[in-house]
Amino acid sequence: MGDDIAAGRARWQARYEAARKRDADFTTLSGARVEPVYGPPEGAEPPGFDRIGWPGEFPFTRGLYPTGYRGRTWTIRQFAGFGNARQTNERYRMILESGGGGLSVAFDMPTLMGYDSDDSQALGEVGHCGVAVDSVADMDVLFDSIPLGETTTSMTISGPAIPMFCMYLAAAERQGQDITRLNGTLQTDIFKEYIAQKEWLYPPRPHLRLIGDLMEYCAEHIPAFKPLSVSGYHIREAGATAAQELAFTLADGFGYVELGLSRGLDIDRFAPGLSFFFDSHLDFFEEIAKFRAARRIWARWMRDRYGATTQRAQWLRFHTQTAGVSLTAQQPYNNVVRTSLEALSAVLGGTNSLHTNALDETLALPTEQSAEIALRTQQVIMEETGVVNVADPLGGSWYLEALTDQIEAEAERIFERILRMGGGTDTEAEHDIGPMTSGILAGIHNGWFSSEIAESAFQYQRALEKDEKRIVGVNRHTSTVSGELEILRISHEVEREQRAALAERRARRDQARVDAALERLLAATRAPESSGNLIPVILDAARAEATLGEICATMGREFGGYVEDPRF
Ligand SMILES: CC(C)(COP(=O)(O)OP(=O)(O)OC[C@H]1O[C@@H](n2cnc3c(N)ncnc32)[C@H](O)[C@@H]1OP(=O)(O)O)[C@@H](O)C(=O)NCCC(=O)NCCSC(=O)CCC(=O)O
């Protein structure tokens, strides 16, 4: 064992030497030199060390890269969008000018549900929880003066993800960019919509058809673009425990792997396009353990169960957002402290990308000032605390490693439960996509996921009410001298203007071209799944300036809707 440790360290050392490092000062505040990684002392034989290992090596418990953040720090990716495309474009430019590393689009509720701003369903909601995007014309404005070939953009949208992605591609073409080289992430994850967030358009099967088409299209034509961000965030925010968040999300990821495999795609080509998105909540060590367990479980399942052979196909890369649900309306300045601690957990867990919430987000979308504090929070951690100097600085902590093992074991128990719901692993021939996918679909249809989450939320709420769990400013230390916050208010004028702009664009576009593109889309949607990929057809509609509502409704004529069974 001692030799293995020495051999492992030598292997890590060779890879570290060969890797690119940032040109930075890797010493403590007092000037002391620190090693890029720490491990067991020479001659020690810690049991189970192969589960911990070295950064950059399977099972990647300690991170994906031998250099950790010495190679590259995480991407500061602040989720933003409000009002119309012009206002949001100004915010993006502010973020990029202030040191934000990538963009992340928040759409408004009508857009997330596939409605145009002039739809009766959109009334009163346009531009409120994000930006309104009706067609590629809005995309043009959203990214005005931001060359899409030079930034990475994340788009948080799932039901209408594919039409929105096509509008993004069409806008990039109009900027003169080579769309095959675009890099970014589309959320797309529909499983978590049925499980937690409840923003779907169609039943699961048609959504999976579209997602399969997208995975195939990106792997073939836009290899750097990540078509799926498998999301635990919304599951956690709905009330799940850390282990449930981890297990449901990874199970969803396995479901998409099975989808890719069922379409005959090469796992080593499509798996790097799957990335993840987690919550970082307030239990400092539990969150770090969750992130480390996530990497380990994913790598093992990808290699041993699904046959991924390259490191990139075994890597779990993830974005993190600090927990929106942990923010309080009472004494809102305390939220800066909460967010800092949650962000630190994410960083110590090795996040690849991070959003820090603003202190006022429990009340409204952030003001420019609160958005700046949120951004600066990440920069303080990155530039001042020294945590970026050492890869996985907490690796080997007895408490943390035990917690990592514990949360991993709990996740494995949940995977077994999901597999059983789908009929288990022994009847694989009966599963048209795969056993995990069958389990997930069964759990969605019978309400299992929702009721598990509801039960956890209930238990936590009860613990709060019994004073077993505590929140400063809410059930502890409630007296305060802090006053009211100025919050951002979106004027209803935005909706009027957006509707007027949409009417004007509808009037000046080539209507015959739009009609023909939508006809072709309807025909392609009606054709059997095996007859062709829908993405090029949707892209043509987007290029013709068909609106999001028109594209989604056209597919909806064939795909139909989905209503969840009521449950008490
Ligand atoms: C993979 C991630 C997680 C991160 O991608 P990024 O491009 O930012 O970072 P990355 O891929 O980790 O790193 C960029 C490049 O640097 C390389 N790189 C990184 N670290 C390195 C190191 N130490 N040594 C050498 N190379 C390194 C990577 O391999 C990659 O290159 P290569 O590409 O060559 O490998 C992606 O999917 C992403 O950006 N996700 C964001 C999702 C998001 O923002 N969602 C918002 C949801 S908000 C929401 O849902 C709303 C919730 C609410 O309701 O509030």
Side-chain angles (χ1 to χ4, degrees):
M1 183 56 139
D3 280 343
D4 288 349
I5 299 243
R9 181 182 275 285
R11 230 179 16 252
W12 168 84
Q13 186 77 38
R15 297 188 63 221
Y16 177 80
E17 298 299 341
R20 198 161 48 86
K21 267 86 68 187
R22 285 183 297 119
D23 181 16
D25 164 36
F26 299 119
T27 64
T28 67
L29 192 69
S30 320
R33 192 173 157 267
V34 291
E35 298 296 330
V37 77
Y38 289 81
E42 205 134 309
E45 297 188 11
F49 186 72
D50 55 337
R51 298 168 57 71
I52 303 172
W54 299 92
E57 285 193 359
F58 188 89
F60 305 106
T61 315
R62 305 193 65 188
L64 304 177
Y65 306 97
T67 48
Y69 294 132
R70 280 200 184 194
R72 180 185 182 277
T73 46
W74 68 92
T75 306
I76 298 178
R77 195 181 293 283
Q78 294 297 82
F79 182 55
F82 64 99
N84 60 31
R86 173 63 57 207
Q87 290 168 303
T88 300
N89 173 266
E90 282 165 19
R91 180 66 64 88
Y92 289 167
R93 292 205 248 164
M94 179 282 259
I95 288 173
L96 292 173
E97 279 158 20
S98 315
L103 295 176
S104 178
V105 186
F107 296 101
D108 70 359
M109 187 55 83
T111 307
L112 292 173
M113 299 304 293
Y115 295 119
D116 289 336
S117 298
D118 59 358
D119 195 293
S120 59
Q121 296 280 358
L123 204 66
E125 290 290 343
V126 175
H128 277 266
C129 71
V131 60
V133 173
D134 292 313
S135 76
V136 62
D138 288 316
M139 278 285 187
D140 292 339
V141 179
L142 191 61
F143 296 109
D144 182 28
S145 306
I146 302 173
L148 294 179
E150 291 165 30
T151 183
T152 58
T153 307
S154 162
M155 285 182 284
T156 292
I157 189 159
S158 293
I162 283 114
M164 191 53 73
F165 179 59
C166 290
M167 288 179 194
Y168 182 80
L169 297 184
E173 282 176 343
R174 283 152 69 136
Q175 281 192 355
Q177 308 287 341
D178 173 0
I179 61 169
T180 64
R181 299 171 69 84
L182 293 179
N183 191 344
T185 303
L186 191 65
Q187 192 162 85
T188 318
D189 173 15
I190 206 69
F191 286 141
K192 67 92 173 54
E193 296 297 337
Y194 299 107
I195 290 174
Q197 183 159 256
K198 315 291 175 188
E199 289 168 4
W200 59 76
L201 305 189
Y202 316 124
R205 293 283 172 163
H207 273 302
L208 290 177
R209 171 180 173 186
L210 284 164
I211 293 171
D213 282 356
L214 181 72
M215 289 166 72
E216 193 169 328
Y217 186 87
C218 285
E220 206 168 306
H221 302 289
I222 318 180
F225 210 95
K226 290 161 273 293
L228 266 155
S229 175
V230 191
S231 304
Y233 187 83
H234 317 82
I235 293 172
R236 188 67 182 282
E237 294 277 300
T241 62
Q244 286 172 328
E245 177 197 358
L246 176 67
F248 294 178
T249 311
L250 294 189
D252 291 347
F254 299 140
Y256 296 122
V257 169
E258 291 177 356
L259 177 64
L261 292 173
S262 74
R263 297 171 65 113
L265 303 182
D266 173 358
I267 192 163
D268 288 331
R269 278 190 76 191
F270 78 77
L274 296 173
S275 75
F276 287 82
F277 170 34
F278 292 111
D279 201 289
S280 190
H281 217 301
L282 271 168
D283 191 307
F284 191 70
F285 289 103
E286 184 172 57
E287 296 303 293
I288 303 171
K290 178 184 77 183
F291 300 129
R292 300 170 87 247
R295 271 191 302 269
R296 181 156 82 202
I297 296 170
W298 185 253
R300 189 161 36 73
W301 276 61
M302 290 301 280
R303 188 188 71 176
D304 299 346
R305 186 177 173 109
Y306 295 116
T309 61
T310 65
Q311 285 208 344
R312 272 177 180 264
Q314 297 164 1
W315 276 358
L316 179 140
R317 289 199 271 186
F318 68 100
H319 172 75
T320 308
Q321 179 166 336
T322 54
V325 282
S326 73
L327 306 182
T328 63
Q330 300 89 333
Q331 304 178 21
Y333 292 104
N334 298 344
N335 293 332
V336 178
V337 182
R338 295 192 176 97
T339 297
S340 308
L341 292 168
E342 293 163 354
L344 190 57
S345 285
V347 167
L348 292 171
T351 196
N352 304 97
S353 164
L354 180 62
H355 167 97
T356 29
N357 289 324
L359 69 111
D360 48 359
E361 279 191 78
T362 193
L363 301 164
L365 291 181
T367 60
E368 195 164 12
Q369 190 194 22
S370 71
E372 185 182 291
I373 296 170
L375 173 71
R376 297 284 181 246
T377 301
Q378 293 201 39
Q379 291 166 335
V380 168
I381 294 174
M382 191 182 276
E383 309 287 351
E384 299 181 20
T385 64
V387 292
V388 294
N389 288 344
V390 176
D392 190 36
L394 292 179
S397 144
W398 290 334
Y399 175 42
L400 183 66
E401 297 301 351
L403 213 48
T404 306
D405 288 350
Q406 191 178 316
I407 202 165
E408 177 176 16
E410 179 60 22
E412 291 287 349
R413 275 193 291 277
I414 297 175
F415 298 148
E416 277 169 30
R417 179 80 171 80
I418 299 172
L419 283 169
R420 274 204 307 280
M421 276 190 297
T425 43
D426 303 336
T427 53
E428 233 155 283
E430 290 173 23
H431 304 295
D432 59 342
I433 297 178
M436 190 62 90
T437 322
S438 297
I440 295 165
L441 291 174
I444 288 169
H445 291 308
N446 69 23
W448 182 78
F449 289 105
S450 307
S451 53
E452 289 289 292
I453 295 170
E455 177 61 24
S456 299
F458 173 68
Q459 294 300 345
Y460 178 65
Q461 187 60 33
R462 216 160 56 165
L464 272 181
E465 282 163 18
K466 287 204 237 156
D467 219 18
E468 292 163 2
K469 299 280 181 212
R470 292 173 181 181
I471 302 177
V472 171
V474 176
N475 63 358
R476 265 289 181 282
H477 314 297
T478 49
S479 67
T480 180
V481 291
S482 66
E484 292 279 294
L485 278 183
E486 277 289 319
I487 60 169
L488 181 79
R489 293 184 197 277
I490 308 293
S491 147
H492 283 289
E493 197 52 22
V494 166
E495 182 162 321
R496 209 189 51 75
E497 283 171 13
Q498 182 70 16
R499 290 161 72 113
L502 179 56
E504 191 258 318
R505 284 167 182 158
R506 277 196 218 272
R508 73 166 157 70
R509 69 188 179 176
D510 178 348
Q511 190 60 41
R513 186 177 167 206
V514 175
D515 292 343
L518 292 176
E519 273 305 313
R520 282 195 300 277
L521 176 58
L522 184 62
T525 310
R526 285 189 170 150
E529 200 168 324
S530 55
S531 62
N533 193 308
L534 291 173
I535 310 300
V537 196
I538 302 172
L539 181 55
D540 273 347
R543 285 176 177 137
E545 294 198 19
T547 63
L548 183 70
E550 290 163 346
I551 296 173
C552 293
T554 299
M555 292 193 283
R557 285 169 63 186
E558 176 60 21
F559 292 156
Y562 180 76
V563 179
E564 198 174 38
D565 281 343
R567 213 156 286 277
F568 300 98

